[in-house]
Amino acid sequence: MPSSSEIQTAQIDSDGTQFAYIDSGAPQSDNYTTVVCVHGYTFNALAFSRFLPLAHKYNLRVIALNRRDYSGSTPFSDPELDVINGKDDNAHRDFLRKRGLEIAHFLVWVISEKEIPHASEDGSSGGLALLGWSQGNVTTLPFLAHLDSYPHEIITTLEPYLRTFILYDIPNRFLGYSMPEGTYHPSTDSTIPENELGVAFAKWVSSYFAHPAYSNITSGETSPNRSTGSLQDRTPENPYRICTADTLTAEELLTITDPTPATRSEQLPWNVHISTLHEQTRRALLFSANKDLLPKLNIYFVYGLASGWEVQWAAWELEKDHAKWVTDGEQVRPFKFIPAEGGNHFMHWDDADMLLTILKDAISDS
């Protein structure tokens, strides 16, 4: 039997599409929940490796896949790269739908090949949870947004298993929310030399921010001051906790990152029109867009209150949209925000126990 951090491969469809993945293996129980994790930008499945030795004490099985174009998974073809780097809105929508279908195929493969337990009647144990981290949500959201376009047998296979869908630390752009005026991002900082941009971004995205918005509220509450001025947007000069990037050894950094897709295929969310991404979010979160498919699915927005301003803004904007949908009488899927006090964008690395506790509690609440 392969070790938990060993890269394995799965052929998920008749086209020969392959995903590389790691697997904690099954706990010694008949009602464990399998959490499928989808990584973000330049970080691969092994970024979730700290989950693996801890998963069983939470009665969880953790499987983390490498997205297309990452090592061990099927590279994008030249025609697919042309779509990614093009400006055709319809082609982008269809491309996203196909990535969602590949996630569906992988979940069906996990159910069949790993023989996992189905969800309990109340959804609090067993079954499947799907988690997208950061840019990984650009792959998981289309899965949910396009359920009505998938073959019926996929839906009937997933229905007894899939009970939990987790948006984990997703920045605003990936939900279809524009960058507020005056906010900062290292990629647009002309004072950073090009050869230092990668390091600057890594430090920024993995920093621990002390947002003024949260300085006078108690744990679990949301901020009364939701302006960009209440968010710390630049890399902290004197952080209260060292950024994740500065804690990684050279070996760890090489193991959990894959820089090749960054310039080849990972510009998709910036090439897709922002309205397409917002419509995708809306379709994913509303029943009306998907003909009441997977009606027992619960959705959670899990985010660190010490993560960057983009994540806080995403949560605030989505809360506004959610409230409007409810007011307008839309059929909204069961949805809950879970802020994690002290957590940054790399909770799964720096605070794996804390995040697994959050995930276990969310699954038990499903």
Side-chain angles (χ1 to χ4, degrees), residues 86-353:
K87 297 297 181 184
D88 186 324
D89 289 342
N90 289 329
H92 283 156
R93 288 189 191 92
D94 189 56
F95 180 89
L96 289 165
R97 182 190 64 80
K98 289 176 179 176
R99 304 293 76 74
L101 181 58
E102 287 167 354
I103 293 296
H105 281 306
F106 183 75
L107 296 179
V108 168
W109 181 89
V110 168
I111 290 168
S112 172
E113 295 297 320
K114 302 298 184 181
E115 298 181 336
I116 64 173
H118 59 71
S120 61
E121 187 63 29
D122 63 3
S124 64
S125 64
L128 270 169
L130 177 62
L131 177 149
W133 169 46
S134 195
Q135 192 166 328
N137 287 280
V138 180
T139 301
T140 58
L141 275 167
F143 155 73
L144 197 52
H146 295 286
L147 287 175
D148 60 344
S149 71
Y150 301 158
H152 180 67
E153 59 268 23
I154 287 180
I155 304 301
T156 55
T157 299
L158 292 176
E159 202 284 326
Y161 292 88
L162 189 60
R163 289 290 184 273
T164 309
F165 185 94
I166 300 154
L167 301 160
Y168 165 44
D169 235 60
I170 179 172
N172 56 304
R173 173 76 193 190
F174 306 150
L175 289 170
Y177 300 122
S178 59
M179 187 171 180
E181 188 175 350
T183 47
Y184 174 81
H185 196 284
S187 64
T188 59
D189 188 339
S190 60
T191 68
I192 302 175
E194 187 173 350
N195 64 339
E196 296 177 15
L197 191 57
V199 172
F201 173 77
K203 289 177 179 287
W204 178 78
V205 77
S206 69
S207 283
Y208 284 84
F209 295 89
H211 298 295
Y214 304 121
S215 61
N216 295 314
I217 61 171
T218 58
S219 177
E221 293 182 331
T222 52
S223 167
N225 178 11
R226 298 190 168 197
S227 67
T228 55
S230 70
L231 296 171
Q232 185 181 21
D233 62 355
R234 292 179 180 265
T235 306
E237 292 184 6
N238 298 296
Y240 68 89
R241 184 175 176 181
I242 189 170
C243 70
T244 310
D246 283 347
T247 70
L248 297 172
T249 67
E251 183 180 3
E252 287 172 334
L253 187 63
L254 286 171
T255 299
I256 69 175
T257 60
D258 185 352
T260 302
T263 53
R264 232 181 82 89
S265 58
E266 287 286 60
Q267 296 307 305
L268 176 69
W270 291 271
N271 293 332
V272 174
H273 197 279
I274 199 163
S275 63
T276 300
L277 295 173
H278 188 260
E279 177 58 21
Q280 177 171 273
T281 300
R282 186 180 181 280
R283 285 183 56 87
L285 302 187
L286 298 184
F287 274 126
S288 54
N290 274 293
K291 302 177 182 176
D292 298 335
L293 301 175
L294 302 183
K296 297 179 181 179
L297 186 67
N298 290 270
I299 302 175
Y300 298 90
F301 188 112
V302 177
Y303 65 109
L305 292 181
S307 292
W309 73 263
E310 295 176 300
V311 173
Q312 315 310 318
W313 196 255
W316 296 352
E317 291 296 284
L318 187 55
E319 281 188 354
K320 288 194 294 188
D321 262 352
H322 185 267
K324 183 179 184 300
W325 293 331
V326 172
T327 300
D328 291 347
E330 298 275 13
Q331 291 181 294
V332 186
R333 289 184 180 275
F335 193 97
K336 184 181 290 186
F337 292 88
I338 305 178
E341 188 171 7
N344 79 339
H345 199 53
F346 287 76
M347 278 187 281
H348 54 285
W349 186 264
D350 286 354
D351 295 295
D353 258 317

